[in-house]
Amino acid sequence: MREYYRWRKDWESLQQQGDPSGSPEVKFQLLESVEETIVKDLRLASHNTAKDVFRVLENRFGNKNAITILIVAELQKISPVKEHQFRKVIDLIRITEKALADLKDLDNEAAIKNPLVTGAIENKLPLTLKKEWLTFKEDPKNSVQPESYFDALLDFLQKQERILEQLEQMEITEFPEKKTEKKFASTRATERGSTEDNCVLCENKHRSRLFTCKKFRGLDLAARKAAVKKSRACRLCLSSHGADGECNLKFLCTKKGCKKGGGVRPPLPSLPQ
């Protein structure tokens, strides 16, 4: 539907140059320029003249009000553009240009210059570009009037298009390898950190608090000693507090001579009773 009037105008212009006499062969040339599926669906070959063929095509594809609604709806359903999405801003400008051209073919430019439609286009711009536009609009020397509001907005965006193209190219070519490397480095760091927190026995996240491990409590003495050595936990309180740290008194072994207050640690590993 959006292409119908432009296609018809181009076809008639070429036909006038090639065969200005309007001979009967025009119908067959017309049918050859239409997609085969459309010819079959609308049974265009059954009509006698090119005029009849155009009548059927216009009934199906030439409703100007329906086309106008379609163009405006497609323009309004575009999602707002976020910062640094330069390509999407460029696409928005070009879609707006095409919508204006299509509406000109329908002699209905007023549909896109409606304040509601113009406002919808403004609201889709990223914040930085929107601020620049508002600054431009409020400057008295630019003379942005209500009747020329859409034209001024489109002219402003078209002037920004070249800058946006350059910004997009810079964004694509600026150190892609470093960005990738940083991403993988972050992933490795996360994986390494999560692994180091795991318990040596049950893989739960309590490696620094061996005394909370249910599996550890069910081991015999020899297995407990091996688990303490492997986890590098304190032999007295079974938590990881380092050589200069204080024992966790709540979980400190109650066996005589084991408490931190005694000031002397036993020569051999001592475990909770």
Side-chain angles (χ1 to χ4, degrees):
M1 291 175 65
R2 288 192 64 165
E3 301 299 328
Y4 173 72
Y5 283 99
R6 182 177 290 112
W7 165 81
R8 178 167 179 169
K9 181 179 179 180
D10 292 342
W11 190 89
E12 289 179 338
S13 176
L14 292 172
Q15 185 60 37
Q16 184 66 24
Q17 296 176 22
D19 188 1
S21 64
S23 64
E25 288 79 12
V26 173
K27 171 197 166 183
F28 300 102
Q29 295 168 1
L30 175 59
L31 294 179
E32 289 177 357
S33 70
V34 180
E35 289 186 8
E36 186 177 351
T37 54
I38 296 177
V39 173
K40 289 181 179 179
D41 291 344
L42 301 182
R43 299 181 180 179
L44 298 181
S46 64
H47 297 283
N48 296 324
T49 65
K51 184 178 180 180
D52 291 335
V53 173
F54 272 121
R55 176 178 53 79
V56 175
L57 290 173
E58 187 162 334
N59 288 340
R60 174 62 66 89
F61 303 110
N63 187 323
K64 291 187 176 182
N65 289 332
I67 299 172
T68 299
I69 293 171
L70 176 65
I71 293 171
V72 173
E74 288 183 354
L75 187 60
Q76 290 181 321
K77 74 178 182 180
I78 299 172
S79 301
V81 182
K82 299 179 181 178
E83 293 293 331
H84 305 297
Q85 293 182 326
F86 307 120
R87 173 48 52 186
K88 289 189 176 181
V89 179
I90 295 169
D91 290 342
L92 174 61
I93 296 171
R94 292 177 180 173
I95 290 171
T96 303
E97 291 173 333
K98 186 177 187 307
L100 177 61
D102 289 345
L103 289 168
K104 281 183 177 179
D105 290 338
L106 301 175
D107 297 321
N108 194 7
E109 294 179 57
I112 198 171
K113 296 182 179 181
N114 183 295
L116 293 176
V117 179
T118 305
I121 297 171
E122 281 181 312
N123 291 332
K124 297 179 191 304
L125 300 175
L127 182 60
T128 303
L129 191 57
K130 192 182 298 182
K131 287 181 178 179
E132 292 182 17
W133 158 243
L134 293 176
T135 303
F136 176 89
K137 181 190 72 170
E138 296 300 325
D139 191 337
K141 69 180 182 182
N142 294 320
S143 302
V144 178
Q145 302 298 325
E147 60 272 13
S148 62
Y149 198 92
F150 173 83
D151 294 327
L153 173 61
L154 184 58
D155 183 61
F156 169 81
L157 293 175
Q158 288 172 332
K159 290 177 180 177
Q160 299 293 318
E161 188 174 351
R162 182 177 178 183
I163 299 173
L164 293 168
E165 288 278 10
Q166 294 176 352
L167 288 172
E168 188 202 22
Q169 293 171 7
M170 292 172 63
E171 188 79 6
I172 293 173
T173 58
E174 187 177 9
F175 310 118
E177 297 83 5
K178 289 188 177 181
K179 290 183 179 180
T180 304
E181 181 180 350
K182 182 176 180 181
K183 177 181 177 182
F184 285 120
S186 175
T187 303
R188 288 195 297 268
T190 303
E191 292 176 349
R192 182 169 60 251
S194 61
T195 302
E196 290 178 353
D197 290 338
N198 292 345
C199 174
V200 296
L201 295 175
C202 65
E203 297 298 323
N204 288 328
K205 305 289 185 180
H206 56 237
R207 180 168 185 153
S208 62
R209 304 181 306 278
L210 189 60
F211 50 81
T212 63
C213 180
K214 294 181 180 180
K215 190 172 182 179
F216 175 80
R217 295 175 184 175
L219 299 176
D220 58 28
L221 183 58
R224 286 190 183 188
K225 287 182 179 181
V228 170
K229 184 176 180 181
K230 186 174 182 180
S231 66
R232 298 180 182 178
C234 174
R235 295 175 297 170
L236 302 181
C237 67
L238 300 181
S239 64
S240 300
H241 54 65
D244 298 328
E246 296 290 333
C247 285
N248 188 330
L249 297 178
K250 182 177 179 180
F251 293 97
L252 194 62
C253 179
T254 58
K255 191 175 181 180
K256 186 178 180 180
C258 288
K259 287 191 176 182
K260 181 78 172 180
V264 179
R265 298 196 181 202
L268 295 176
S270 298
L271 297 169
Q273 294 176 345

